């Protein structure tokens, strides 16, 4: 019930998280339920992204001032396990890659950039929950790995940065 300026850092941060959440929605919409040889893996990614969308609403309610909730530390641990699971299916990187590839991969890379942007705004809050900040840090790493995995499922090689 408290009036807050639209320029307040909490409101701007919530807007960034909303943008990130909408971008995750675009990514999930790119995953078809149609039969493909990679259907199981793609539906797994869709479920992961949908769970993240729910987590973002939870984080947003904390940033908006909900004092009754705590962001679970195990949420970051869950992301780390998923990162490890998908990284084990990929060729290790020795070089930087360009954020491109199939449409899903490119969208995940864009969403990763939005996650980093949201993380920077959360840092600006200074009073934010450390578990929320840790979650956003791991989230961008997960989105990077999922982008690479989406390319793999679509038989698209990572595009190496040419120095």
């Amino acid at each position: 019930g408290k009036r807050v300026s639209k320029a307040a850092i909490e409101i701007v941060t919530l807007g960034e998280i909303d943008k990130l959440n909408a971008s995750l929605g675009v990514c999930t919409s790119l995953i078809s339920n149609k039969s493909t040889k990679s259907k199981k893996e793609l539906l797994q990614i869709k479920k992961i992204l949908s769970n993240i969308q729910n987590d973002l609403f939870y984080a947003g309610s904390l940033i908006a001032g909900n004092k009754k909730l705590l962001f679970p530390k195990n949420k970051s641990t869950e992301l780390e396990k998923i990162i490890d699971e998908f990284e084990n299916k990929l060729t290790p990187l020795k070089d930087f890659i360009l954020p491109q590839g199939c449409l899903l991969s490119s969208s995940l890379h864009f969403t990763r950039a939005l996650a980093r942007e949201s993380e920077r705004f959360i840092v600006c809050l200074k009073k934010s929950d450390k578990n929320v900040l840790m979650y956003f840090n791991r989230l961008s790493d997960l989105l990077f790995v999922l982008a690479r995995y989406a390319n793999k499922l679509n038989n698209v090689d990572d595009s190496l940065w040419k120095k």
Side-chain angles (χ1 to χ4, degrees):
K2 179 177 138 187
R3 285 197 153 303
V4 181
S5 166
K6 293 228 184 225
I9 188 66
E10 293 84 0
I11 301 303
V12 174
T13 303
L14 290 171
E16 294 302 316
I17 294 171
D18 187 37
K19 189 173 15 174
L20 167 61
N21 209 337
S23 188
L24 284 164
V26 171
C27 292
T28 63
S29 72
L30 293 172
I31 299 172
S32 170
N33 290 331
K34 295 178 186 167
S35 257
T36 68
K37 71 174 190 165
S38 309
K39 181 179 180 178
K40 182 180 170 192
E41 293 92 345
L42 287 168
L43 292 178
Q44 181 184 10
I45 292 171
K46 190 173 195 173
K47 183 179 178 188
I48 290 166
L49 298 179
S50 293
N51 288 339
I52 292 167
Q53 286 186 290
N54 282 298
D55 292 344
L56 294 183
F57 272 103
Y58 198 92
S61 70
L62 292 170
I63 291 167
N66 188 326
K67 305 269 190 254
K68 297 177 185 174
L69 299 174
L70 291 173
F71 198 83
K73 184 177 183 178
N74 73 324
K75 290 289 184 182
S76 297
T77 307
E78 288 172 14
L79 294 185
E80 288 170 1
K81 287 179 184 174
I82 298 167
I83 290 167
D84 291 343
E85 175 189 343
F86 281 90
E87 266 188 339
N88 288 332
K89 300 174 185 179
L90 296 167
T91 306
L93 281 178
K94 296 177 183 154
D95 295 296
F96 289 109
I97 62 168
L98 301 177
Q100 60 182 340
C102 69
L103 186 55
L104 177 58
S105 177
S106 297
S107 297
L108 286 164
H109 276 299
F110 181 76
T111 305
R112 173 190 51 79
L114 294 176
R116 284 282 186 221
E117 188 173 31
S118 295
E119 180 186 8
R120 288 189 298 273
F121 277 96
I122 292 167
V123 168
C124 291
L125 291 173
K126 295 191 174 102
K127 62 179 181 184
S128 67
D129 183 320
K130 289 178 184 172
N131 292 333
V132 170
L133 187 57
M134 188 176 1
Y135 181 85
F136 275 80
N137 181 270
R138 302 312 296 149
L139 175 57
S140 57
D141 293 338
L142 172 61
L143 294 170
F144 178 79
V145 170
L146 291 179
R148 291 192 63 221
Y149 192 69
N151 273 340
K152 178 181 178 172
L153 290 177
N154 286 281
N155 298 312
V156 176
D157 291 332
D158 288 322
S159 297
L160 298 179
W161 172 55
K162 295 178 182 138
K163 300 172 191 166

